Amino acid sequence: MPQMAILFPAPLALSPFAILALSVAFIVAAIALLRVHAFFALMIAAVMVVVLSAAGSPGPHNYVQAIGSVTSAFGSAAGMLGFTLALAAVIGISLMESGSAEKIVRCLIAAFGEGNAAVALMVCGFLLSAPVFIDTVFMLLLPIARALSLRTGKNCLLYVLATCCGAIITNGTVPPAPGPLFVADHLKINLFVAILSGAVFGIIPAVGAILGARWFNARMPIPARATRGESLETLAATAGRPDSDLPGFWVAIAPILTPFILIAATSTLGILRSLPFSTPHLPPRVVTAIGFLGDKNVALMIGAVIAVSTNVRRRKLGWRRAGTVLGAPLEMAAMIILIISAGSAYGESIKGAGLGEAVRAAAAGHAISYVFVAWLLAVVLRGAQGSATVAMIAATGIVSSMAGPAGFGVHPLYILLAVGYGSKALSWMNDAGFWLVSRVGGLTQGEALRSWSILATAVSVIGLAEILVVSSIWPNLPF
C-alpha cells in the first residue's frame, strides 16, 4: 500500500540478527524497566519484527499485511491452547478451594513421615505445580512448610527450598503447566510423552535440589517466622485444620489422576498401533472412544467437572451457585492465554524474519547444539526480564526459527526440557516468584538471594547437564 510506505521513505535493511537483538532488547526493557505488561511487550515486539523485516525486503512494503500476520499467529495460538489452559486453571483453583490440595499434602507427609517431610513437600510441589499455577502452589505450600517447621522445631529453610524446587521442576517441564504446554504444542510433541518425560527427567534435578537444600539449611539456620499479615499463632491454627473438613485422598487426587490416565491410554494406544509388529485388535468403537476421552481438552474437561463438583460439595454451595467458582480461575487463565498467544506471535514473526537461514549461513556447516542454545536463550531472557513463561515461549520461538525445516538434530522433547530448565535459572528481584519465596516463605531478601536464587540456578544447570548427556546417547527417540 503506497500510503503506508511513507512511514519508511528508505528501506531499513537490517539483518535478521539485528532485528532479533533489537526485539529482545525491547522486550527486556519494556518488561524490566518500563513495567509494561508482558502481553503488550511481546505483541509490540512481534509488530516491530515484521515491520523491520518488511522494510528491509525488496519490492513494495505491505506493512498492513505484515501486521495482519502477527494477529493471525496470535489468534491461532489462542485457539489451540486457550480452552486447555482455562480447564487447567479451573482444576487448579478448585483443588485449592475445596481443600483437595491440602489433603494431598497431608497424605504425602503422613506416607513419608515427618523425618522425610522435606521430600514429601518436594513431591507435593512436584505434583501440584503442573495443574495449578506456580504462584498459587507457593501460596498454599509455603505456609504448610513453615507450620511444619514450627511443629517439629526444625529450621524452616530446608522445607521452603524443597517445596519450591519441586514446584519449579514440574512447572518448567510438565504440561499442562502453561509454558510446557505451549512448547509441547509448538514442537508437536505427544502430550503424554511430554508429561511422562518431564517427570522422569525431573528425578535427578530433584535429588540435587534436596541435597542442596540440606546443605543450605545446615549453614543458614532460619526458624519459622511470622510474616506480614500472618502470625505464628494463625499459622499454627491453619495447620491444625481437622481432616474432617477435607475430602478423601482419592477424591482429592481424582481431578489430576483422571485426565492423566485418559491421556496416557490414548497415547499408549497410538504408540502401539504405530509399531511394526502386530498389536491386540480392539473394536473400532473402543478405539474411537479411547481417542475421544483421551483428547487433552476432553480429558481436562472431565477433570474440571470432578474438581468443581468436589469444590461445590465441600463448600456446600449448591448447584445453582456452582458457576460462581469459575470466575476466578478464568480471570487467572485469561492473562496466561494472552501472554502465551502473544509469545507465539513473536516467535512466528522471528521465524518470518529469516533468522533460520541467517544462522545456518553463519554456521557454515558447523554443528550447533540447539539444546544448549535453547537453554542459554531461556536463561538470558529469564534473568533479564523475570518471567519464566515469557522466557520459555520467546526462547522456543527463537530457537525454532534458528533450526528451521532442518530440525534440531535431536528429538524436540530435549528442546522442551532445555527451555524449561533454562527458564528457572537466575530467580532474583525481577521475578515475582522470588518475592513469594521470600515473603511467604519467611526469608529476608538477602537470605533468599543466598539460598533460593543459587539453588534454583543449580537445578537449572543439573537439568541441562542431564539433557545434554541423554540427548548425546539417544538423539532420536522412537515417539
Side-chain angles (χ1 to χ4, degrees):
M1 296 179 66
Q3 66 270 28
M4 296 301 295
I6 297 173
L7 295 173
F8 298 100
L12 303 175
L14 296 176
S15 71
F17 294 112
I19 293 174
L20 172 65
L22 285 172
S23 65
V24 170
F26 172 80
I27 292 171
V28 171
I31 296 175
L33 300 179
L34 303 178
R35 303 301 181 191
V36 175
H37 193 280
F39 164 70
F40 287 108
L42 289 166
M43 286 299 288
I44 294 171
V47 171
M48 178 193 302
V49 169
V50 296
V51 167
L52 291 176
S53 299
S57 62
H61 304 141
N62 193 331
Y63 300 113
V64 172
Q65 184 178 349
I67 295 172
S69 68
V70 173
T71 56
S72 296
F74 172 85
S76 177
M80 288 188 295
L81 294 176
F83 189 50
T84 307
L85 288 167
L87 291 171
V90 170
I91 292 173
I93 295 297
S94 295
L95 285 173
M96 308 292 288
E97 292 181 346
S98 66
S100 296
E102 187 174 345
K103 182 65 175 184
I104 294 169
V105 172
R106 291 190 182 191
C107 288
L108 288 175
I109 291 175
F112 281 91
E114 284 196 357
N116 295 310
V119 177
L121 286 168
M122 172 170 279
V123 173
C124 292
F126 197 91
L127 181 64
L128 291 174
S129 63
V132 183
F133 292 140
I134 193 167
D135 290 357
T136 310
V137 173
F138 284 171
M139 293 293 289
L140 168 75
L141 294 184
L142 287 178
I144 294 175
R146 289 167 46 234
L148 192 60
S149 169
L150 191 65
R151 187 168 72 239
T152 60
K154 295 182 178 178
N155 291 332
C156 183
L157 186 61
L158 171 62
Y159 296 150
V160 169
L161 294 180
T163 300
C164 296
C165 284
I168 64 168
I169 290 170
T170 310
N171 181 258
T173 59
V174 179
L181 181 65
F182 166 79
V183 179
D185 185 83
H186 185 82
L187 300 181
K188 304 295 185 291
I189 303 170
N190 180 283
L191 192 60
F192 174 65
V193 169
I195 293 171
L196 192 61
S197 300
V200 171
F201 273 82
I203 294 173
I204 292 177
V207 172
I210 277 289
L211 295 175
R214 294 187 189 281
W215 189 89
F216 281 110
N217 189 62
R219 287 156 180 79
M220 297 174 62
I222 300 173
R225 299 168 178 152
T227 58
R228 184 177 299 176
E230 186 176 50
S231 65
L232 293 179
E233 292 76 14
T234 304
L235 189 66
T238 302
R241 183 181 178 185
D243 278 342
S244 58
D245 290 349
L246 305 175
F249 176 75
W250 292 110
V251 173
I253 205 170
I256 301 173
L257 203 57
T258 303
F260 177 80
I261 292 172
L262 292 174
I263 293 171
T266 298
S267 299
T268 302
L269 180 62
I271 292 171
L272 289 175
R273 295 179 72 190
S274 68
L275 296 176
F277 54 82
S278 60
T279 57
H281 176 72
L282 291 175
R285 289 185 179 180
V286 174
V287 173
T288 301
I290 293 174
F292 173 74
L293 294 174
D295 174 81
K296 65 180 180 181
N297 290 318
V298 175
L300 286 170
M301 188 186 299
I302 294 171
V305 169
I306 297 172
V308 170
S309 300
T310 303
N311 193 10
V312 169
R313 285 199 309 271
R314 300 305 305 181
R315 295 170 63 191
K316 298 180 173 59
L317 293 176
W319 283 107
R320 290 189 177 182
R321 297 177 58 197
T324 60
V325 305
L326 301 177
L330 292 182
E331 289 175 7
M332 184 181 294
M335 184 181 299
I336 299 295
I337 293 167
L338 287 173
I339 292 172
I340 285 182
S341 301
S344 178
Y346 172 70
E348 290 300 314
S349 68
I350 287 291
K351 187 181 298 183
L355 182 63
E357 293 82 356
V359 168
R360 288 188 290 276
H366 297 289
I368 300 174
S369 174
Y370 285 110
V371 168
F372 179 75
V373 170
W375 178 85
L376 185 61
L377 283 169
V379 170
V380 171
L381 288 165
R382 156 69 164 204
Q385 52 79 40
S387 169
T389 302
V390 171
M392 285 193 72
I393 57 181
T396 300
I398 294 171
V399 78
S400 298
S401 303
M402 288 181 173
F408 304 107
V410 296
H411 195 281
L413 174 67
Y414 297 122
I415 303 300
L416 184 158
L417 296 170
V419 295
Y421 281 109
S423 72
K424 300 307 174 185
L426 305 181
S427 174
W428 63 302
M429 279 88 78
N430 65 355
D431 172 25
F434 171 86
W435 294 108
L436 282 173
V437 174
S438 173
R439 292 173 179 170
V440 184
L443 308 179
T444 66
Q445 179 179 317
E447 289 168 345
L449 281 171
R450 296 195 306 273
S451 57
W452 165 246
S453 299
I454 296 172
L455 187 56
T457 303
V459 167
S460 174
V461 173
I462 293 170
L464 170 67
E466 179 186 20
I467 300 161
L468 288 173
V469 170
V470 177
S471 64
S472 67
I473 300 173
W474 295 292
N476 299 309
L477 303 174
F479 40 76

